Short mmCIF file of all heavy atoms in Angstrom, two decimals:
data_model
loop_
_atom_site.label_atom_id
_atom_site.label_comp_id
_atom_site.label_asym_id
_atom_site.label_seq_id
_atom_site.Cartn_x
_atom_site.Cartn_y
_atom_site.Cartn_z
N LEU W 161 -9.01 -11.32 -13.42
CA LEU W 161 -10.22 -11.02 -12.80
C LEU W 161 -11.49 -11.02 -13.69
O LEU W 161 -12.70 -11.17 -13.21
CB LEU W 161 -10.14 -9.77 -11.84
CG LEU W 161 -9.13 -9.69 -10.86
CD1 LEU W 161 -9.14 -8.39 -10.23
CD2 LEU W 161 -9.38 -10.77 -9.81
N LEU W 162 -11.33 -10.98 -15.01
CA LEU W 162 -12.35 -10.95 -15.99
C LEU W 162 -12.76 -12.35 -16.37
O LEU W 162 -12.06 -13.14 -16.51
CB LEU W 162 -11.94 -10.14 -17.16
CG LEU W 162 -11.94 -8.65 -17.29
CD1 LEU W 162 -11.27 -8.08 -18.46
CD2 LEU W 162 -13.38 -8.05 -17.13
N ARG W 163 -14.13 -12.37 -16.44
CA ARG W 163 -14.69 -13.62 -17.01
C ARG W 163 -14.34 -13.68 -18.41
O ARG W 163 -14.07 -12.60 -19.02
CB ARG W 163 -16.14 -13.71 -16.69
CG ARG W 163 -16.90 -12.59 -17.52
CD ARG W 163 -18.39 -12.94 -17.57
NE ARG W 163 -19.12 -11.92 -18.26
CZ ARG W 163 -19.15 -11.82 -19.61
NH1 ARG W 163 -18.57 -12.66 -20.37
NH2 ARG W 163 -19.91 -10.81 -20.14
N SER W 164 -14.38 -14.84 -19.09
CA SER W 164 -14.32 -14.96 -20.52
C SER W 164 -15.34 -14.22 -21.15
O SER W 164 -16.55 -14.25 -20.78
CB SER W 164 -14.45 -16.41 -20.97
OG SER W 164 -14.39 -16.58 -22.39
N GLY W 165 -14.95 -13.26 -22.17
CA GLY W 165 -15.88 -12.44 -22.93
C GLY W 165 -16.12 -11.10 -22.08
O GLY W 165 -16.76 -10.12 -22.76
N GLY W 166 -15.54 -10.86 -20.98
CA GLY W 166 -15.56 -9.69 -20.31
C GLY W 166 -14.75 -8.52 -20.89
O GLY W 166 -13.82 -8.77 -21.72
N LEU W 167 -15.17 -7.21 -20.74
CA LEU W 167 -14.54 -6.14 -21.48
C LEU W 167 -13.50 -5.40 -20.57
O LEU W 167 -13.80 -5.28 -19.35
CB LEU W 167 -15.54 -5.19 -21.88
CG LEU W 167 -16.58 -5.71 -22.94
CD1 LEU W 167 -17.54 -4.52 -23.35
CD2 LEU W 167 -15.77 -6.13 -24.23
N PHE W 168 -12.55 -4.89 -21.14
CA PHE W 168 -11.51 -4.06 -20.50
C PHE W 168 -11.55 -2.76 -21.26
O PHE W 168 -11.09 -2.65 -22.40
CB PHE W 168 -10.18 -4.68 -20.60
CG PHE W 168 -9.11 -4.24 -19.57
CD1 PHE W 168 -8.38 -5.06 -18.91
CD2 PHE W 168 -8.89 -2.85 -19.53
CE1 PHE W 168 -7.32 -4.60 -18.07
CE2 PHE W 168 -8.03 -2.38 -18.61
CZ PHE W 168 -7.17 -3.21 -17.89
N HIS W 169 -12.12 -1.68 -20.68
CA HIS W 169 -12.33 -0.42 -21.35
C HIS W 169 -11.46 0.75 -20.79
O HIS W 169 -11.67 1.00 -19.58
CB HIS W 169 -13.77 -0.01 -21.33
CG HIS W 169 -14.12 1.20 -22.12
ND1 HIS W 169 -15.41 1.78 -22.06
CD2 HIS W 169 -13.40 2.01 -22.96
CE1 HIS W 169 -15.33 2.90 -22.91
NE2 HIS W 169 -14.15 2.96 -23.42
N CYS W 170 -10.63 1.28 -21.53
CA CYS W 170 -9.80 2.38 -20.96
C CYS W 170 -10.07 3.64 -21.88
O CYS W 170 -10.43 3.58 -22.99
CB CYS W 170 -8.24 2.17 -21.04
SG CYS W 170 -7.72 0.64 -20.17
N ALA W 171 -9.85 4.85 -21.25
CA ALA W 171 -9.94 6.07 -22.01
C ALA W 171 -8.86 7.12 -21.38
O ALA W 171 -8.74 7.04 -20.19
CB ALA W 171 -11.26 6.67 -21.95
N THR W 172 -8.28 7.81 -22.31
CA THR W 172 -7.38 8.88 -21.94
C THR W 172 -7.31 9.94 -22.91
O THR W 172 -7.68 9.78 -24.10
CB THR W 172 -5.95 8.15 -21.70
OG1 THR W 172 -5.06 9.20 -21.15
CG2 THR W 172 -5.37 7.69 -23.00
N ASP W 173 -6.78 11.16 -22.49
CA ASP W 173 -6.63 12.24 -23.45
C ASP W 173 -5.08 12.57 -23.54
O ASP W 173 -4.76 13.71 -24.09
CB ASP W 173 -7.35 13.52 -22.98
CG ASP W 173 -6.91 14.00 -21.55
OD1 ASP W 173 -6.50 13.19 -20.77
OD2 ASP W 173 -7.06 15.25 -21.30
N ILE W 174 -4.28 11.63 -23.05
CA ILE W 174 -2.83 11.79 -23.13
C ILE W 174 -2.33 10.96 -24.19
O ILE W 174 -2.35 9.63 -24.04
CB ILE W 174 -2.25 11.55 -21.85
CG1 ILE W 174 -2.75 12.36 -20.66
CG2 ILE W 174 -0.74 11.77 -21.82
CD1 ILE W 174 -2.69 13.83 -20.99
N ALA W 175 -1.70 11.43 -25.32
CA ALA W 175 -1.35 10.53 -26.49
C ALA W 175 -0.45 9.53 -26.22
O ALA W 175 -0.50 8.34 -26.57
CB ALA W 175 -0.93 11.49 -27.72
N ASP W 176 0.68 9.88 -25.49
CA ASP W 176 1.66 8.89 -25.26
C ASP W 176 1.20 7.78 -24.29
O ASP W 176 1.62 6.60 -24.41
CB ASP W 176 3.00 9.46 -24.79
CG ASP W 176 2.99 9.86 -23.22
OD1 ASP W 176 2.32 10.87 -22.85
OD2 ASP W 176 3.56 9.07 -22.46
N TYR W 177 0.29 8.13 -23.39
CA TYR W 177 -0.22 7.15 -22.49
C TYR W 177 -1.22 6.24 -23.25
O TYR W 177 -1.22 4.98 -23.04
CB TYR W 177 -0.99 7.76 -21.39
CG TYR W 177 -1.23 6.92 -20.13
CD1 TYR W 177 -0.82 5.63 -20.07
CD2 TYR W 177 -1.94 7.48 -18.98
CE1 TYR W 177 -1.16 4.86 -19.01
CE2 TYR W 177 -2.25 6.63 -17.92
CZ TYR W 177 -1.82 5.38 -17.84
OH TYR W 177 -2.09 4.67 -16.72
N ALA W 178 -1.89 6.82 -24.17
CA ALA W 178 -2.86 6.05 -25.13
C ALA W 178 -1.99 4.90 -25.89
O ALA W 178 -2.47 3.81 -26.09
CB ALA W 178 -3.57 6.86 -26.03
N GLU W 179 -0.87 5.30 -26.39
CA GLU W 179 0.00 4.34 -27.15
C GLU W 179 0.48 3.36 -26.15
O GLU W 179 0.63 2.19 -26.54
CB GLU W 179 1.24 5.20 -27.85
CG GLU W 179 0.77 6.14 -28.91
CD GLU W 179 0.22 5.32 -30.13
OE1 GLU W 179 0.52 4.22 -30.16
OE2 GLU W 179 -0.39 5.96 -30.94
N GLN W 180 0.88 3.70 -24.96
CA GLN W 180 1.34 2.64 -23.96
C GLN W 180 0.19 1.74 -23.65
O GLN W 180 0.38 0.55 -23.59
CB GLN W 180 1.84 3.46 -22.67
CG GLN W 180 2.29 2.46 -21.63
CD GLN W 180 2.65 3.12 -20.28
OE1 GLN W 180 3.24 4.06 -20.26
NE2 GLN W 180 2.35 2.44 -19.24
N MET W 181 -1.03 2.43 -23.42
CA MET W 181 -2.07 1.46 -23.16
C MET W 181 -2.38 0.44 -24.25
O MET W 181 -2.55 -0.77 -24.01
CB MET W 181 -3.42 2.26 -22.95
CG MET W 181 -3.48 3.10 -21.72
SD MET W 181 -5.05 4.10 -21.68
CE MET W 181 -4.93 4.80 -20.04
N LEU W 182 -2.31 1.01 -25.55
CA LEU W 182 -2.55 0.09 -26.61
C LEU W 182 -1.44 -1.02 -26.72
O LEU W 182 -1.77 -2.22 -26.95
CB LEU W 182 -2.48 0.74 -27.89
CG LEU W 182 -2.76 0.06 -29.27
CD1 LEU W 182 -4.10 -0.61 -29.29
CD2 LEU W 182 -2.64 1.10 -30.48
N ASP W 183 -0.14 -0.68 -26.45
CA ASP W 183 0.93 -1.69 -26.48
C ASP W 183 0.67 -2.70 -25.38
O ASP W 183 0.88 -3.98 -25.61
CB ASP W 183 2.20 -0.89 -26.36
CG ASP W 183 2.62 -0.16 -27.58
OD1 ASP W 183 2.04 -0.39 -28.63
OD2 ASP W 183 3.51 0.66 -27.50
#
Side-chain angles (χ1 to χ4, degrees):
L161 298 176
L162 278 170
R163 65 166 180 81
S164 178
L167 295 180
F168 198 133
H169 184 189
C170 299
T172 183
D173 61 334
I174 305 300
D176 79 283
Y177 199 0
E179 293 292 344
Q180 177 183 328
M181 288 178 174
L182 182 59
D183 289 344

